[in-house]
């Protein structure tokens, strides 16, 4: 894994996507170091990238995929919802690029209209370090829930998997500072997610997306005008549209991850539904199209949207 320092996210712009009665915004944390792509997706070689010229310049440099860490802030049914919480500040991490970050993520979130105290729901697609970091913040010497009035959700299958796993020290540390404090505060809810999905807020559905982890979920937003799918790590990078069999080196079940990716892409292909990549760098969103027996992403930049008053 790369040890190079991550680049700060670009200056915040209040942009997002309207789905009718649901809005969704990307809130940036950091752009991940250049070495992240070759480590995470070792089969995404220059030759593979060259077969999908549409990946450049937004999603790939000359020879490596580009990746980012961000959250999605969703307004639905009068609720403020944060989907995944990134790496977090001041967290001791084995990955030097994630260790002891000091970013303005919470200010960006507030600028998007989601100050922590206003958030009603936090959805965790899966329990990996770069998806739970801002679950908590450091107050004195204690890690406390960042969103004091929110319920935090993850799938019961995901929770039970890690509860039954002999964790290494790095993952134990992540649970100590980013998961257990929320659980101990009584704010974590475990959700059973059937094959057809489970609605957790008006128009907001958890969809099973196993493979990367056993209980990972994607988040489907069914707005009055449009549908969108937030990927979690079922699709790390747009290269996996053109080459769905490119898998992550940390997928627990790579074969199942490929099946999940194929299923999700098939449901989106040639529709107007938005694909919102949890690690896709800007512009992050687009529609999926079939092209020459593969898929590609037609990018769609967000626009300025208003936040409903708290």
């Amino acid at each position: 894994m790369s040890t190079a320092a991550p680049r700060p996210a670009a200056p915040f712009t209040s942009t997002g996507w309207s789905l009718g009665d649901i809005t969704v915004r990307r809130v940036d944390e950091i752009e991940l170091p250049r070495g992240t792509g070759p480590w995470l997706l070792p089969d995404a070689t220059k030759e593979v990238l060259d077969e999908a010229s549409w990946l450049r310049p937004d999603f790939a440099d000359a020879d490596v995929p580009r990746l980012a860490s961000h959250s999605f802030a969703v307004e639905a049914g009068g609720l403020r919802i944060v989907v995944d919480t990134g790496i977090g500040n001041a967290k001791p991490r084995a990955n030097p690029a994630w260790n002891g970050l000091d970013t303005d993520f919470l200010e960006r979130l507030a600028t998007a209209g989601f100050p922590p105290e206003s958030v009603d729901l936090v959805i965790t697609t899966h329990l990996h370090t770069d998806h739970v970091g801002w679950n908590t913040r450091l107050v004195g010497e204690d890690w406390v829930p960042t969103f004091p009035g929110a319920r935090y959700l993850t799938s019961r299958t995901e929770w039970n998997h890690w509860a039954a796993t002999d964790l290494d020290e790095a993952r134990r540390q992540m649970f100590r500072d980013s998961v257990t404090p929320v659980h101990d505060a009584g704010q974590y809810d475990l959700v059973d997610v059937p094959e057809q999905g489970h609605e957790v807020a008006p128009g907001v559905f958890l969809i099973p997306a196993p493979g990367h982890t056993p209980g990972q979920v994607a988040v489907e937003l069914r707005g009055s005008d449009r549908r969108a799918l937030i990927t979690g790590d079922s699709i790390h990078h747009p290269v996996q549209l053109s080459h769905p069999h490119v898998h992550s080196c940390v997928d627990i079940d790579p074969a199942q991850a490929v099946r999940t990716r194929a299923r999700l892409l098939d449901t989106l292909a040639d529709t107007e539904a938005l694909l919102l990549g949890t690690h896709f760098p800007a512009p992050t969103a687009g529609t999926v199209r079939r092209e020459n027996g593969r898929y590609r992403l037609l990018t769609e930049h967000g626009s300025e949207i208003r936040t409903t008053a708290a």
Side-chain angles (χ1 to χ4, degrees), residues 25 34 123 187 194 203 223 240:
R25 300 164 177 80
R34 190 173 187 273
I123 297 173
Q187 289 179 243
Q240 293 173 298

Side-chain angles (χ1 to χ4, degrees), residues 127-128 155-167 171 175 212-215 252:
L127 295 172
H128 272 177
S155 83
R156 190 181 307 277
T157 299
E158 181 76 0
W159 186 277
N160 289 346
H161 166 76
W162 295 112
T165 299
D166 185 13
L167 304 177
R171 200 172 299 279
F175 271 83
H212 181 64
T213 64
I252 289 176

Side-chain angles (χ1 to χ4, degrees), residues 235-304:
I235 307 173
H236 275 98
H237 188 272
V239 70
Q240 293 173 298
L241 276 69
S242 61
H243 292 76
H245 286 79
V246 168
H247 62 82
S248 162
C249 68
V250 290
D251 286 346
I252 289 176
D253 186 338
Q256 188 175 49
V258 169
R259 292 192 297 271
T260 289
R261 194 154 42 249
R263 171 175 54 82
L264 294 176
L265 290 172
D266 186 60
T267 66
L268 296 170
D270 300 326
T271 74
E272 292 309 304
L274 274 180
L275 178 67
L276 295 164
T278 296
H279 286 300
F280 294 10
T284 303
T287 54
V288 178
R289 294 290 181 264
R290 292 182 175 90
E291 183 178 89
N292 300 324
R294 295 179 176 177
Y295 299 105
R296 68 162 294 173
L297 190 70
L298 296 182
T299 57
E300 186 168 322
H301 291 260
S303 58
E304 186 172 351

Side-chain angles (χ1 to χ4, degrees), residues 64-192:
V64 300
R66 295 179 52 230
L67 293 152
S69 175
H70 48 251
S71 299
F72 289 104
V74 177
E75 283 187 278
L79 300 177
R80 283 184 171 83
I81 303 164
V82 174
V83 180
D84 285 336
T85 63
I87 298 164
N89 274 4
K91 299 291 171 79
R93 295 293 180 253
N95 179 354
W98 298 355
N99 185 54
L101 289 185
D102 182 15
T103 73
D104 62 350
F105 176 81
L106 290 186
E107 288 79 4
R108 290 168 180 262
L109 195 63
T111 300
F114 287 66
E117 63 275 9
S118 75
V119 172
D120 301 291
L121 191 63
V122 176
I123 297 173
T124 306
T125 60
H126 63 292
L127 295 172
H128 272 177
T129 305
D130 55 329
H131 294 259
V132 300
W134 275 110
N135 280 5
T136 61
R137 58 189 178 89
L138 194 61
V139 176
E141 297 183 355
D142 298 322
W143 294 105
V144 303
T146 299
F147 307 99
R151 306 303 304 171
Y152 290 65
L153 303 184
T154 199
S155 83
R156 190 181 307 277
T157 299
E158 181 76 0
W159 186 277
N160 289 346
H161 166 76
W162 295 112
T165 299
D166 185 13
L167 304 177
D168 60 24
E169 177 52 31
R171 200 172 299 279
R172 287 179 188 274
Q173 176 62 46
M174 179 270 286
F175 271 83
R176 283 196 297 266
D177 61 41
S178 296
V179 178
T180 302
V182 179
H183 182 266
D184 289 350
Q187 289 179 243
Y188 242 124
D189 293 338
L190 306 183
V191 181
D192 294 309

